[in-house]
Amino acid sequence: MDVKQILSQSGFRFNKQFGQNFLTDKNLLEQIVSDAGVNGGTVLEIGAGAGTLTRELSKCADKVIAYEIDRNLEKVLAITLEDCSNVRVIIGDIMKRNIADVDECCGADYRVVANIPYYLTSPLIMSFVENSANVTSLTLTIQKEVADRLNAIPSTKDYGALTVGVQAVADVTVTRTLSRKLFYPEPNVDSAVVRIDMNRNKYDIPNRKLFRKTVRSAFAMRRKTLVNNLITGFGFNRESAEDTVRQCGLSVGCRGEELSVEQFVALYKAIESNI
C-alpha cells in the first residue's frame, strides 16, 4: 500500500494547524506496536492520520478506536483501513471529550498508542494520567525533548512539573529514538517513542488535587527557592513555609527542581497537615 500515492490521489493537503507528520515505514510501525505490548484487548489511537499505525494495531488488538481531528482524512482512512473490520474511526477532537466518556467508550484496561502532534503532547498526557481510571499504558511517539522531560532526574534542566506529575503515578520508559527523516513530511525535530505504564498506587497520594498544586507551585518560578514558591502558591507566611520545608528534612534554601518524587510526596503531606 503506497500511502503517499493514496494521499495524493485523495487530494489531501497537510494542515500545519494539526501538526501532521506521518510514519509510513511498516517495520518501524510494527516495532512501535511491539513496544506498546499490544496483544489483544482494546487500543485507543489518537490521531489516526493516514491509518498506517492503525492498520498495524488492528493486527494485534481485538479492537482499535481511532480518533482523527482532520475531516479531510476521512476518505483516506476509508481506503487504508477498508479491510480492518475491528477498527472504529471517530472524526473529532479527543481533547474536547470528557475522559470519563472516553473510558466508557474504550472499556476497562485499554492502551493508548499514538503518534501525536507536538503541540498536544503535554496536555494530552496529563489529561489521561490525571483523569483516566481505565487506561493501563500510553505508548506515544513524541518530540524527543518532551521524552527527555518525562524521563528526567532531579537537578537537571529537563526535570519539571510534567516529570513529577507523570512519575508519581506511572513508570516511564523511552523505547527508541526516531530521526526526523522517518516522517512524512519531515518535521524540524527528532522524536522518541515513550511508554508510560500506569502505576496509580506507586505512592500514597489520596488528595491528588493538592499534590498537583504542590508540584506546580514548586516549579512556578524555577529560580526562586521552594520556600518562596510555597509562600506565593499557598499564602504561607515565611515562618510557616520554612517549617513545612524543614518538616520534610529539606534545606530552606533548596529549589523545587532538587526534590525527588518521593520528597514531593512528603512535601505534599506536610502541606496538607499545615493548611
Side-chain angles (χ1 to χ4, degrees):
M1 179 176 62
D2 189 333
V3 174
K4 293 180 183 179
Q5 185 177 353
I6 292 171
L7 288 167
S8 177
Q9 290 175 348
S10 300
F12 176 73
R13 297 290 180 268
F14 287 93
N15 190 331
K16 288 186 178 181
Q17 175 189 351
F18 297 137
Q20 293 167 327
N21 303 98
F22 300 156
L23 286 169
T24 58
D25 185 283
K26 188 174 184 296
N27 290 330
L28 174 58
L29 293 166
E30 288 175 349
Q31 290 166 2
I32 292 172
V33 174
S34 176
D35 289 349
V38 178
N39 183 18
T42 299
V43 174
L44 172 65
E45 184 188 14
I46 300 163
T52 53
L53 177 59
T54 323
R55 281 187 66 84
E56 298 308 317
L57 288 169
S58 74
K59 297 174 185 177
C60 300
D62 293 329
K63 179 168 65 173
V64 179
I65 298 171
Y67 270 82
E68 175 51 52
I69 194 171
D70 190 352
R71 187 166 294 278
N72 292 321
L73 281 165
E74 193 168 11
K75 57 185 177 181
V76 174
L77 291 168
I79 298 170
T80 59
L81 303 178
E82 183 180 13
D83 56 345
C84 300
S85 60
N86 61 339
V87 174
R88 175 189 174 193
V89 175
I90 300 174
I91 302 298
D93 183 356
I94 196 167
M95 296 303 289
K96 293 181 179 177
R97 291 288 306 275
N98 187 296
I99 293 298
D101 293 337
V102 176
D103 279 357
E104 184 177 354
C105 176
C106 295
D109 299 338
Y110 66 92
R111 299 174 185 270
V112 173
V113 185
N115 170 23
I116 57 178
Y118 297 148
Y119 74 90
L120 195 59
T121 304
S122 295
L124 185 142
I125 290 172
M126 295 313 298
S127 182
F128 278 90
V129 166
E130 292 181 349
N131 302 312
S132 173
N134 294 356
V135 69
T136 59
S137 69
L138 300 95
T139 302
L140 308 172
T141 301
I142 58 177
Q143 188 174 353
K144 185 177 180 299
E145 176 186 325
V146 180
D148 291 341
R149 287 167 57 198
L150 288 167
N151 207 34
I153 58 174
S155 299
T156 60
K157 67 178 178 64
D158 292 322
Y159 190 74
L162 177 67
T163 319
V164 178
V166 174
Q167 290 187 15
V169 293
D171 301 314
V172 179
T173 308
V174 177
T175 63
R176 63 187 70 244
T177 56
L178 305 178
S179 166
R180 66 194 71 184
K181 297 185 182 299
L182 293 168
F183 293 83
Y184 172 71
E186 184 178 317
N188 296 323
V189 295
D190 293 328
S191 297
V193 179
V194 62
R195 176 165 164 169
I196 302 169
D197 286 287
M198 297 304 301
N199 186 357
R200 294 179 180 86
N201 298 319
K202 191 174 182 179
Y203 298 101
D204 180 26
I205 310 174
N207 189 339
R208 301 282 180 181
K209 184 176 180 180
L210 180 60
F211 179 75
R212 290 195 290 268
K213 183 177 178 181
T214 300
V215 173
R216 288 166 184 167
S217 296
F219 286 104
M221 292 170 280
R222 289 184 72 103
R223 294 188 177 186
K224 288 199 172 186
T225 64
L226 179 59
V227 166
N228 284 332
N229 277 333
L230 292 182
I231 290 170
T232 302
F234 288 92
F236 289 152
N237 60 41
R238 182 162 297 277
E239 183 180 359
S240 295
E242 290 182 352
D243 285 346
T244 301
V245 170
R246 287 195 188 98
Q247 222 176 303
C248 304
L250 300 168
S251 162
V252 295
C254 73
R255 290 181 168 81
E257 64 194 45
E258 299 172 31
L259 275 64
S260 66
V261 178
E262 291 84 356
Q263 288 172 319
F264 268 109
V265 174
L267 178 63
Y268 136 77
K269 290 183 176 179
I271 289 171
E272 188 173 40
S273 68
N274 292 334
I275 56 175

